[in-house]
Amino acid sequence: MKNFCNTERLSELEEGTKARIVGIRGGPPTYRQRLLDLGLTPGTVVKVNREAPLGDPIELELKGYFLALRRKDAWHILVEPLPNNPE
């Protein structure tokens, strides 16, 4: 079992922060599979580019493309923030 003590929820990261996906927790198996199909796989580095004016959704950059994700969906994704975030 992996140690998740240094993890945060993707929905809690600030704009400009880069993080590595550690895992996906919660939801039915089809929901988890949909997030994996979108490229949100463990080990993937994501960057929170910006958020909508009212805070939802957030725009992520990963694997060379941009993805808008609702905060309630991003809440299920555990990430490990990467050091030396310049922003």
Side-chain angles (χ1 to χ4, degrees):
M1 184 98 185
K2 188 164 173 106
N3 185 3
F4 293 114
C5 62
N6 293 339
T7 62
E8 295 182 30
R9 305 264 181 196
L10 181 59
S11 61
E12 298 170 350
L13 297 181
E14 296 180 11
E15 287 184 22
T17 305
K18 287 186 179 182
R20 185 176 322 279
I21 296 176
V22 175
I24 300 173
R25 296 287 176 257
T30 55
Y31 177 79
R32 182 178 187 278
Q33 186 60 49
R34 178 67 179 140
L35 292 175
L36 293 171
D37 291 343
L38 288 170
L40 299 165
T41 56
T44 300
V45 174
V46 298
K47 178 184 177 188
V48 179
N49 276 343
R50 59 186 173 162
E51 60 183 46
L54 297 177
D56 200 23
I58 57 175
E59 181 185 79
L60 306 173
E61 182 178 354
L62 66 144
K63 298 184 177 181
Y65 75 97
F66 297 95
L67 174 68
L69 194 65
R70 293 178 292 189
R71 283 200 183 271
K72 72 176 193 173
D73 296 332
W75 186 86
H76 294 284
I77 301 167
L78 299 175
V79 296
E80 178 180 40
L82 296 176
N84 301 325
N85 285 308
E87 299 165 25

